[in-house]
Amino acid sequence: MKAFLSHSSADKKSYVGIVASRLSEEDIVYDEMSFESGEETMNEIIRGLDESTVFCLFISDESLKSPWVREEIDGASIRLANGSLKYIYPVVIDRSVTHDDPRIPQWLKENYNLRLVTRPVIAARRIQQKLRQASWAKHPKLKERERAFVGRNKNIESFERRFDDYSQPKPVLSVVVGPPSIGRRTLISNALRKLALNGPDKDFPVLPLDRHASIEDFILRLLDLGASDASYAELNLAERPIDEKVAITVGLLKDLAKLKERVVVLDEGCLVTYERKLAPWFEAIVSHTDLVGKPLLFVASRWAPNPNSVRQLSRVVFSCTLGELDPSERRRLFARLLEIEEIVLSTEDFETFAALLNGFPDEVFFAIDLLARLGVRGAIDHSNEIVEFNGEKASMLLRPFQDNEAVLNVIRLLAQSEVFSVDFLCQIFKEEQLVNIIADLVSEHVCELIGAEGEFLRLVDSVRDYVKRNDLSLIPELRAAVNSAVERDIQHGNWNEYDSSRVAFLVKNALASGESLEPRFMIPSHILRTIKELYYDRGKLRRAVDLADILLAKERNLDPQLVQDVRYYLCLVLARLRDTRVLEEAQRIHGDEHDFILGYYYRLVGRQRDAIERLSRVASGAFVGVRAKRELVEVLLQMEQYDDARELARKNYEENRTNQFHIHAYFRALVLGSSPERYLTVLEALCSELEDVRSDRSRQMAMIGRALIAARCKHDQRSLDLIDDAIASFPRIIYPVLAKFDIGLSFRNEAAMQDALTRLERLASDGVNLSTKTLAVLRAYLAAVRGDLATAHSRAAEVARHFTDEARTRFLEKLEAFASGAVVNRGGAR
């Protein structure tokens, strides 16, 4: 497949030659490389057009004057009509050329995005992406499916009322609110077309901003569009105050407004925060006088702006909330997609499937894909998957690929960052294999292409969260390939050639490994994401503290919300380190996060009563509630209040059955409580669910679980062999060793208990995080089993003062029972 580069010779040196030099000679038709000496120029043009899949037109004042370029445009139009040419890609490279220039053919104006791209390196990337897209158009009806739209009449009408209100300027910002997959972007796209703000077949740039992004990320995403001459490294954003960054952003948006560009932003809490307010810097941008009346930004937001917070911005901000599809709308969407896919159902079968559908569009798409893949009878046999889809969306979407390691490797890498450029992915994977994988993943709604021309790839939110939450880490070979690509790019060091996603990934990996970079190559969110990753990886925690301190030293130049996020993760790291500095830093954090941080720290250092008090306060909180409930389960398990832990763990598990931590917590609450054999069937099913997750951590949990079932439910001494297998598989992890102590205690096996304690002491001395209070509890139990009650009581005194009265009494009674040799109903040592 080739791209024909149509241009004026006057633009060769300054622009088109640079583009050509960055593309493979085999991929382009470009006069200096492709036209044979001595041949008639027109014949060469015809031959080049006949060989090409993509016609790239570089629009400038000079090219619009050129008769040769006009001939090439006419030739491209003919070949597009007969199907031999697949794509037209016009690029405006001259700021003096406007969209309404009469020299631009009308069919180009009406059907294609005429975007200014001032930097040749960006144009080259997009041409390469167009060639890839031509080869991965695996789902011929994907575009039709994406544009399938029914209902939403009230929402469209609200757009029309606001935009047709001549008493007010058109809003700079339009926010469509709703959860992911509800159809926010589809509504925006159709509203833009209905309002004649976008052509019927034109696309618009889609920019992602996650919870930890800030104004610097927004600027870099805008630079990716290529309409500005400014470059990432030259701006040195980390050193600029907020007001300067606001001015830079306004300037970039003004440039886009001149081009009549509309920008869609996928916002996960950056622009509209979870507190339902516009970020202060974003409010300053959209209310800037230079942007009034310019309908530029269309934001798909998870959070609805609080009416009180945006009342004074009503002239520049419009907002509407998108609910679930009503029964009529979901039936109509289902019928529309059946027609697109040419699937014929009987009336009875249509009603069978329609009755299973709830209010989310992606559930309808899933049902269609199930029918396409399995046929009507097969889909009916698997109709339970449609019912379960909303609760287990990610695992359902991944199911077709569960045994395909090549695809899973791509998914695992995509989960390592918010977004990746396809260009960077081609450095890691073989391009010919990657394009087919991307085609499959996009067709199955596992990931989506975004950016100005689909040059970036991101996992859908549910899949990315699933992969990250369940710690589906990169296999060693893939990790080595990624490290090699990162090292190569950093050594190359031409940062102005890299897109924002590539910069973010390079900086994060460099910082995590301890490399030093010039400050101008970093922005605050890069450092924040590195801190977060170091925390979840449980390694190099002191490095995370150092990075947080570097960032907080520049606090006055940063977005206040980002500062809070940095301090929040700093506190999590300090808590895991059992560093008392967390008590001081937590005072600078407000709201639910303040209580959660303290509760988490108290749980880790053994202050159970204080942990329960703090965590209970925020168990229903919007941002930390889910994690607070999980931590409460851990506290209750530590205190051996298994009945209370079991009920809370069950609720957590039922709310999210694919979360390995909730599965494991529920398992422990059942297996460590009284009469665990009553729950044998459930326990074995939970172990199977952990094995199905297929992460290293879930495999570790499952191995421990199998050993505990053998010990607690079957009273089988071979459980010690099973737990030794787990220890051998995960030699640097404390949890299999703690489980060995529990199993040894249940059999009063002093040798097993002593071996486990010795291993734990060795791991603690090697720097593995392990509470001294946990070791004190284990030493107390070992002393009791040996009949030394005085030592057991002495050890217990170190930790029992932090227990509730009930837990302390139960702990001391069990020590006495073990010391006396009585039968003890006890499930665990922690």
Side-chain angles (χ1 to χ4, degrees):
M1 293 188 181
K2 292 189 175 185
F4 188 101
L5 306 188
S6 177
H7 63 286
S8 164
S9 59
D11 299 319
K12 193 182 302 291
K13 185 175 180 180
S14 63
Y15 198 103
V16 184
I18 300 171
V19 172
S21 70
R22 294 178 178 279
L23 296 169
S24 170
E25 186 173 338
E26 293 77 27
D27 289 340
I28 57 176
V29 176
Y30 174 64
D31 52 13
E32 289 185 358
M33 298 178 181
S34 312
F35 289 2
E36 294 180 9
S37 177
E39 292 291 329
E40 291 289 334
T41 303
M42 195 63 232
N43 290 338
E44 286 297 289
I45 290 173
I46 292 170
R47 183 175 64 82
L49 286 169
D50 287 339
E51 292 177 355
S52 300
T53 305
V54 177
F55 178 76
C56 181
L57 173 62
F58 294 93
I59 300 175
S60 69
D61 182 61
E62 293 294 335
S63 68
L64 293 176
K65 294 176 188 174
S66 167
W68 289 117
V69 170
R70 284 198 296 274
E71 290 282 356
E72 290 165 359
I73 293 173
D74 290 342
S77 176
I78 293 168
R79 286 161 179 78
L80 185 67
N82 67 28
S84 63
L85 191 70
K86 300 300 182 186
Y87 290 99
I88 302 284
Y89 179 46
V91 184
V92 180
I93 64 173
D94 184 343
R95 289 185 183 276
S96 70
V97 175
T98 61
H99 287 61
D100 55 0
D101 192 306
R103 295 172 295 176
I104 301 174
Q106 194 63 28
W107 64 272
L108 269 175
K109 293 179 188 177
E110 291 177 351
N111 296 298
Y112 295 93
N113 301 301
L114 304 182
R115 292 198 174 111
L116 175 67
V117 180
T118 63
R119 297 173 61 199
V121 64
I122 293 177
R125 274 204 305 260
R126 292 187 185 165
I127 293 167
Q128 185 65 60
Q129 180 64 5
K130 285 293 182 185
L131 289 169
R132 293 185 186 116
Q133 286 176 332
S135 66
W136 73 38
K138 190 150 187 166
H139 200 307
K141 296 169 183 174
L142 194 58
K143 202 71 174 176
E144 288 182 76
R145 285 165 51 120
E146 287 175 352
R147 294 194 172 175
F149 183 74
V150 298
R152 307 298 197 189
N153 295 325
K154 291 181 180 178
N155 298 105
I156 294 290
E157 285 173 12
S158 68
F159 262 96
E160 289 183 307
R161 281 196 303 273
R162 176 61 183 85
F163 277 73
D164 292 341
D165 183 355
Y166 284 93
S167 68
Q168 299 187 80
K170 286 183 169 54
V172 177
L173 168 66
S174 297
V175 182
V176 175
V177 178
S181 303
I182 200 70
R184 299 169 301 181
R185 268 190 295 162
T186 306
L187 176 69
I188 289 170
S189 175
N190 281 273
L192 284 169
R193 293 186 179 102
K194 189 76 183 288
L195 296 166
L197 294 175
N198 211 43
D201 295 314
K202 294 181 182 179
D203 294 320
F204 37 75
V206 179
L207 314 181
L209 291 171
D210 69 8
R211 167 77 172 76
H212 300 305
S214 190
I215 185 169
E216 300 86 3
D217 302 85
F218 191 35
I219 291 171
L220 296 191
R221 295 282 192 262
L222 292 174
L223 290 178
D224 281 340
L225 300 181
S228 170
D229 296 324
S231 67
Y232 159 64
E234 292 166 357
L235 287 175
N236 197 10
L237 294 172
E239 302 301 320
R240 292 180 181 267
I242 287 285
D243 58 346
E244 287 188 22
K245 289 182 261 198
V246 167
I248 290 169
T249 312
V250 169
L252 293 172
L253 291 172
K254 285 170 63 179
D255 286 344
L256 292 172
K258 291 174 187 174
L259 303 169
K260 296 185 179 178
E261 187 68 90
R262 322 293 173 194
V263 177
V264 174
V265 182
L266 298 180
D267 179 40
E268 294 300 314
C270 169
L271 306 180
V272 184
T273 71
Y274 74 95
E275 295 174 326
R276 300 182 60 203
K277 298 177 182 178
L278 296 189
W281 57 266
F282 188 54
E283 181 176 327
I285 290 166
V286 298
S287 59
H288 198 282
T289 54
D290 286 355
L291 299 181
V292 172
K294 297 177 172 62
L296 277 163
L297 297 168
F298 294 80
V299 173
S301 172
R302 186 185 292 263
W303 311 104
N306 187 313
N308 292 330
S309 69
V310 295
R311 185 168 288 116
Q312 71 277 17
L313 299 173
S314 61
R315 294 177 72 251
V316 294
V317 177
F318 163 73
S319 175
C320 72
T321 299
L322 199 56
E324 295 183 0
L325 295 171
D326 65 33
S328 171
E329 289 172 333
R330 69 185 76 139
R331 289 168 65 88
R332 288 162 56 200
L333 178 60
F334 185 52
R336 184 80 52 83
L337 292 171
L338 286 172
E339 185 179 343
I340 290 171
E341 292 293 337
E342 300 178 2
I343 297 172
V344 179
L345 296 181
S346 68
T347 302
E348 181 182 357
D349 287 339
F350 180 90
E351 294 298 333
T352 296
F353 286 103
L356 300 174
L357 301 173
N358 289 303
F360 280 74
D362 60 348
E363 186 183 45
V364 184
F365 282 102
F366 178 76
I368 291 292
D369 289 335
L370 204 64
L371 281 161
R373 193 165 61 243
L374 302 178
V376 177
R377 292 302 102 197
I380 287 175
D381 290 341
H382 289 79
S383 60
N384 64 297
E385 294 184 15
I386 300 173
V387 176
E388 297 166 2
F389 179 73
N390 282 329
E392 302 181 28
K393 186 181 301 183
S395 59
M396 294 288 190
L397 291 173
L398 291 174
R399 190 164 294 171
F401 309 109
Q402 61 186 1
D403 296 317
N404 190 327
E405 276 301 308
V407 176
L408 291 176
N409 282 335
V410 174
I411 291 170
R412 289 169 186 140
L413 179 56
L414 288 174
Q416 301 299 307
S417 197
E418 182 192 10
V419 62
F420 278 93
S421 65
V422 177
D423 200 44
F424 179 73
L425 293 173
C426 287
Q427 284 190 249
I428 310 297
F429 303 100
K430 293 179 180 177
E431 184 164 345
E432 61 273 15
Q433 182 184 33
L434 179 66
V435 294
N436 290 323
I437 289 174
I438 291 176
D440 288 339
L441 293 177
V442 172
S443 296
E444 295 290 337
H445 305 285
V446 173
C447 64
E448 57 187 345
L449 292 163
I450 58 173
E453 303 291 345
E455 67 269 38
F456 298 102
L457 193 68
R458 76 186 289 269
L459 289 176
V460 298
D461 296 314
S462 59
V463 174
R464 186 175 68 248
D465 292 347
Y466 176 86
V467 175
K468 292 295 287 183
R469 181 176 63 238
N470 289 318
D471 196 26
L472 302 182
S473 54
L474 306 183
I475 62 172
E477 297 85 353
L478 181 54
R479 170 56 65 189
V482 170
N483 290 343
S484 176
V486 167
E487 185 177 339
R488 207 163 47 239
D489 277 354
I490 290 175
Q491 287 178 350
H492 178 58
N494 196 348
W495 293 85
N496 287 331
E497 293 186 6
Y498 303 150
D499 60 79
S500 62
S501 70
R502 196 166 188 164
V503 168
F505 192 68
L506 294 178
V507 170
K508 185 179 71 172
N509 279 270
L511 291 177
S513 62
E515 292 186 49
S516 60
L517 294 172
E518 290 183 49
R520 65 196 180 99
F521 296 142
M522 296 180 284
I523 61 174
S525 70
H526 294 162
I527 302 176
L528 170 58
R529 289 187 178 93
T530 307
I531 295 166
K532 183 178 178 182
E533 190 157 301
L534 290 171
Y535 166 72
Y536 282 113
D537 286 349
R538 299 170 181 262
K540 300 183 180 177
L541 293 178
R542 285 296 171 191
R543 171 67 173 163
V545 173
D546 293 341
L547 290 173
D549 287 339
I550 290 170
L551 201 50
L552 291 173
K554 301 177 181 179
E555 183 172 340
R556 65 183 179 182
N557 285 346
L558 304 179
D559 171 14
Q561 182 58 56
L562 186 136
V563 171
Q564 280 290 293
D565 288 347
V566 171
R567 191 160 272 122
Y568 173 73
Y569 280 100
L570 169 62
C571 285
L572 290 179
V573 171
L574 292 171
R576 184 162 281 169
L577 290 168
R578 280 77 170 176
D579 188 328
T580 57
R581 178 186 165 191
V582 69
L583 300 174
E584 175 189 347
E585 292 292 342
Q587 303 312 310
R588 299 184 176 92
I589 294 177
H590 309 293
D592 290 353
E593 292 97 323
H594 171 80
D595 285 310
F596 175 77
I597 287 291
L598 292 176
Y600 178 55
Y601 173 69
Y602 294 150
R603 200 269 292 177
L604 290 173
V605 298
R607 292 172 57 179
Q608 284 94 340
R609 283 184 300 182
D610 296 329
I612 289 174
E613 179 190 353
R614 292 286 182 170
L615 294 169
S616 297
R617 291 182 190 178
V618 295
S620 58
F623 186 57
V624 297
V626 171
R627 186 160 184 194
K629 287 187 285 189
R630 197 178 100 199
E631 291 298 323
L632 273 171
V633 171
E634 292 299 319
V635 178
L636 294 170
L637 290 173
Q638 283 180 346
M639 299 169 65
E640 301 182 17
Q641 294 179 213
Y642 298 115
D643 290 342
D644 294 336
R646 182 170 61 243
E647 185 60 21
L648 182 55
R650 180 185 63 78
K651 290 179 180 177
N652 291 347
Y653 163 72
E654 289 180 348
E655 288 173 4
N656 195 335
R657 290 175 177 267
T658 60
N659 185 313
Q660 63 184 2
F661 298 105
H662 290 320
I663 298 171
H664 188 233
Y666 184 35
F667 176 92
R668 289 171 58 211
L670 293 174
V671 81
L672 297 178
S674 58
S675 305
E677 59 276 2
R678 291 180 298 165
Y679 306 107
L680 179 58
T681 302
V682 178
L683 289 167
E684 289 181 335
L686 292 172
C687 268
S688 296
E689 289 178 23
L690 286 170
E691 289 163 345
D692 288 343
V693 172
R694 301 188 179 192
S695 71
D696 283 347
R697 192 164 301 174
S698 67
R699 187 164 66 90
Q700 172 205 135
M701 292 171 175
M703 292 182 77
I704 293 171
R706 298 292 183 194
L708 287 173
I709 288 173
R712 297 278 296 141
C713 300
K714 302 176 182 178
H715 310 289
D716 188 342
Q717 294 271 357
R718 285 177 297 178
S719 56
L720 287 169
D721 295 332
L722 294 176
I723 202 62
D724 280 339
D725 290 342
I727 292 171
S729 297
F730 303 95
R732 292 282 299 169
I733 305 298
I734 63 172
Y735 302 111
V737 189
L738 287 167
K740 180 171 184 175
F741 190 97
D742 287 344
I743 293 169
L745 181 58
S746 67
F747 292 125
R748 283 187 168 84
N749 185 323
E750 290 184 35
M753 294 167 67
Q754 182 61 65
D755 177 67
L757 186 57
T758 301
R759 288 176 183 271
L760 289 169
E761 289 169 340
R762 190 182 306 130
L763 286 169
S765 66
D766 287 346
V768 175
N769 280 317
L770 179 63
S771 168
T772 56
K773 293 180 172 59
T774 296
L775 290 173
V777 169
L778 303 188
R779 289 171 183 142
Y781 275 119
L782 181 56
V785 167
R786 287 173 172 167
D788 186 352
L789 188 58
T791 300
H793 278 157
S794 174
R795 300 289 192 192
E798 298 177 28
V799 289
R801 62 192 177 92
H802 295 297
F803 288 11
T804 62
D805 293 340
E806 180 186 356
R808 186 189 310 109
T809 300
R810 184 167 53 248
F811 179 35
L812 296 175
E813 286 175 351
K814 288 180 178 179
L815 289 177
E816 291 172 4
F818 275 116
S820 67
V823 175
V824 180
N825 176 26
R826 185 191 177 281
R830 282 161 290 151

